[in-house]
Amino acid sequence: MAAHKGRRLRKGAATTAAAALAVAALSASQAPGATGAPEPLQTSAGHSAPVPEVSADGNATGNSPYYTDLPPLNSPLPSPSSTIGTPVSRGEGEAGIPATVLDAYQKAEAELRAAKPGCNLPWQLLAAIGKVESGQARGGRVTADGTTISPIIGPQLDGNGFALIKDTDHGAYDGNSSYDQAIGPMQFIPSTWAWAGRDGNGDGKADPNNVYDAALAAGHYLCRNGWDLSTERDLHRAILSYNNSTDYLNLVLSWVDYYRKGTHSVPDGSGRVPSHRSDDGLPRTSMPATPGAAGPKPSKPAKPSKPSKPAKPANPPKGSPSPDPGTPGSPSPEPAPPTGTPTPSDTVDHLVSADLDGTELTATAGDAFDRRIGARAVTKDGKSVAKVRVRFTISGDTDATFTGGERVATIATDAKGVALAPQLLAGEEAGTFKVTSVVVGHTAQGVGYTATVTPRPADKLVRTSDTALTCAPGGEFAGQVQVKATYKGAPAAKVGATATLIKSAANPTANIVGPYFKDANGQPVRTLTGLTTDANGVVTLPKLYADLFSGTYLLRVTTPGGGSVTVELKVSATASASASPSASPSPSPSAGS
């Protein structure tokens, strides 16, 4: 990783100015079809604000190589000597996005608009990243359901000019059991896809090689951490978290601006494929694309006979996908793992809790947990390990999330070996769930937390009206019972309540005769659960009906926290029935109250 980032810094220092100049020229020109187009989100980084630091919660692509072609210019600039940000002029063809790919971006935007409205994700950002990462799925070479005709797999991240990321998926996605490789039209590395993957086309599985799944996953990835992409700072943070390079940031922003000025759909398979790459001139090593999810288990490539002239890989099993001919890097035998100094992750023996108060946490529904979940990476002799990625995962039947709405967060350990997860937020569902932490890309004993969400409380319940509730046998009670919940004198919103027609004040079990509610099928029920107070602490019960038995009955409403109110109901032949006497009475009981 260090060698890779160093190369980027040296290369970026000489080319950022040229890329920024090209972006500025693009902004001054008019892209195809630009009539009344909205204002661009932002131009290149550095024009109006400094590039923000990226939070250490993982990386989508592992800083894999990407296509560097800029959008076409009306007046093309002379090509800079560097390959980064190479201007090209291809006319209106560049404004066309393959129909299925475009549909995937727009559907992802619509879903994120509903799921995370504060993110303000534009589909043009997904299109820009898709263009830079895979040339819009290699020009739209996808099937009708959005799956790439052949896998799009980047070079193996073996530290040879790229980041060093050892295998995390046992080759399930990239066919490589030694190193990870970026996969699919949005180029996720397997360790990121493991938690960011989504099912975007409704087929019940999350496939990184499907453009609907990948686009939705990219949208959620860019919308994490509570980022608002309508702001420059958060937009830049999100893009840099996808690939941590200023050149990459400027390039993606230029394509966002271009697509914002006008675009159209073109038939699948007819899109333009970029020709310039950020790794031009670097040695490329890639494994045959035989993801386990797409076919039988791949055959292992043959070992090279000589270091200078490697043998060809063995043919993959019949039915397995072959590598995309336009995929970065050409297939070659898998090299032996490096034998140099181990990575920080390799030295980790286990994780321990970074919280001296233990691993049990409690919060009330809707609140944030007071304590932060943390894990410390240590060696066998107890020494802390810095710069190790730790993944925190929420599991169990719960709607609790980390800040930003995600159930998974990846954080790098600090100088003291500690990784603190984002703040944990309790949802509305009461109960217990688990939060686990593991070292990304390395097998080591993790540490788990148990979190309990208690129901929202109400310590007092009162009826909002003192009108007597009476009904004739077989009739319907006039009006509905309404109660208000408070906690320490303040309205208690979103509090769960239970209503039961009880046998007596001393016996709070459900009665078998007398007034009743109706279920969805119109059958009598005398206990209701799942009631919830509104923003003012008020809950209105469904209508009440009377059977054929006269008498005085009791309705009791209770809430967590001790709130309780008992309402008297009278059924009498002298009472005026307010509803049709044809209301269905309950079956004759076998015992009275």
Side-chain angles (χ1 to χ4, degrees), residues 8 63 66 84 239-240 243-250:
R8 283 196 180 280
N63 291 331
Y66 54 89
I84 294 223
I239 296 172
L240 286 170
N243 193 310
N244 193 16
S245 162
T246 303
D247 294 315
Y248 183 88
L249 171 64
N250 285 329

Side-chain angles (χ1 to χ4, degrees), residues 392-418:
F392 298 90
T393 304
I394 298 172
S395 60
D397 187 13
T398 178
D399 58 349
T401 66
F402 293 117
T403 300
E406 298 295 342
R407 291 169 61 89
V408 178
T410 304
I411 308 294
T413 57
D414 59 18
K416 296 181 179 180
V418 174

Side-chain angles (χ1 to χ4, degrees), residues 388-469:
V388 172
R389 292 189 301 158
V390 177
R391 181 182 301 125
F392 298 90
T393 304
I394 298 172
S395 60
D397 187 13
T398 178
D399 58 349
T401 66
F402 293 117
T403 300
E406 298 295 342
R407 291 169 61 89
V408 178
T410 304
I411 308 294
T413 57
D414 59 18
K416 296 181 179 180
V418 174
L420 282 179
Q423 188 170 37
L424 186 62
L425 306 177
E428 294 300 330
E429 296 180 10
T432 300
F433 62 93
K434 299 287 186 181
V435 182
T436 56
S437 62
V438 297
V439 177
V440 176
H442 177 64
T443 302
Q445 182 179 351
V447 61
Y449 281 79
T450 300
T452 301
V453 179
T454 58
R456 292 175 182 263
D459 54 18
K460 186 176 182 180
L461 277 178
V462 295
R463 190 180 167 207
T464 59
S465 171
D466 57 3
T467 302
L469 294 169

Side-chain angles (χ1 to χ4, degrees), residues 144-436:
D145 71 347
T147 303
T148 56
I149 293 175
S150 55
I152 302 174
I153 300 184
Q156 65 181 18
L157 301 175
D158 57 4
N160 184 21
F162 311 113
L164 174 59
I165 303 180
K166 293 186 178 181
D167 174 64
T168 60
D169 67 329
H170 305 291
Y173 290 116
D174 53 18
N176 189 338
S177 59
S178 294
Y179 302 98
D180 272 353
Q181 296 174 244
I183 46 177
M186 302 304 279
Q187 289 290 277
F188 280 97
I189 54 174
S191 60
T192 302
W193 182 262
W195 61 266
R198 295 291 194 280
D199 175 17
N201 64 349
D203 63 357
K205 62 181 180 179
D207 180 6
N209 295 298
N210 182 280
V211 69
Y212 286 99
D213 296 358
L216 184 59
H220 277 279
Y221 182 89
L222 295 164
C223 285
R224 71 199 192 286
N225 298 329
W227 285 336
D228 178 359
L229 302 186
S230 66
T231 68
E232 180 179 286
R233 183 175 179 82
D234 284 356
L235 174 65
H236 289 188
R237 281 176 169 177
I239 296 172
L240 286 170
S241 77
Y242 214 90
N243 193 310
N244 193 16
S245 162
T246 303
D247 294 315
Y248 183 88
L249 171 64
N250 285 329
L251 185 62
V252 168
L253 290 172
S254 72
W255 279 107
V256 171
D257 286 352
Y258 181 74
Y259 287 136
R260 287 285 293 262
K261 292 177 180 176
T263 188
H264 57 275
S265 65
V266 297
D268 291 344
S270 66
R272 301 276 193 179
V273 180
S275 56
H276 300 86
R277 297 184 43 77
S278 62
D279 62 340
D280 285 344
L282 288 176
R284 302 179 187 175
T285 53
S286 175
M287 291 294 295
T290 52
K297 187 176 181 180
S299 302
K300 290 185 177 179
K303 294 183 178 179
S305 56
K306 293 181 180 180
S308 58
K309 190 175 182 180
K312 293 183 179 180
N315 291 329
K318 186 176 181 181
S320 296
S322 59
D324 192 311
T327 298
S330 56
S332 65
E334 178 182 334
T339 57
T341 304
T343 64
S345 297
D346 294 331
T347 67
V348 177
D349 180 71
H350 61 281
L351 297 176
V352 296
S353 172
D355 192 336
L356 297 178
D357 292 329
T359 57
E360 301 284 338
L361 302 97
T362 303
T364 301
D367 291 346
F369 285 82
D370 291 336
R371 290 163 48 205
R372 292 277 296 276
I373 290 175
R376 186 165 64 92
V378 296
T379 61
K380 282 186 178 181
D381 55 3
K383 292 182 179 179
S384 298
V385 185
K387 298 181 180 180
V388 172
R389 292 189 301 158
V390 177
R391 181 182 301 125
F392 298 90
T393 304
I394 298 172
S395 60
D397 187 13
T398 178
D399 58 349
T401 66
F402 293 117
T403 300
E406 298 295 342
R407 291 169 61 89
V408 178
T410 304
I411 308 294
T413 57
D414 59 18
K416 296 181 179 180
V418 174
L420 282 179
Q423 188 170 37
L424 186 62
L425 306 177
E428 294 300 330
E429 296 180 10
T432 300
F433 62 93
K434 299 287 186 181
V435 182
T436 56

Side-chain angles (χ1 to χ4, degrees), residues 89-115:
S89 180
R90 291 178 173 172
E92 294 193 6
E94 286 291 355
I97 299 177
T100 298
V101 179
L102 177 60
D103 184 54
Y105 297 149
Q106 293 176 336
K107 283 189 174 181
E109 179 200 54
E111 180 160 335
L112 266 299
R113 190 185 303 123

Side-chain angles (χ1 to χ4, degrees), residues 18 30 35 60 94 116 118 124 148 177 269 271 288 298 366 430 529 550 574:
Q30 186 177 24
T35 56
E94 286 291 355
K116 297 180 179 179
Q124 290 90 345
T148 56
S177 59
T529 59
S550 299
T574 61

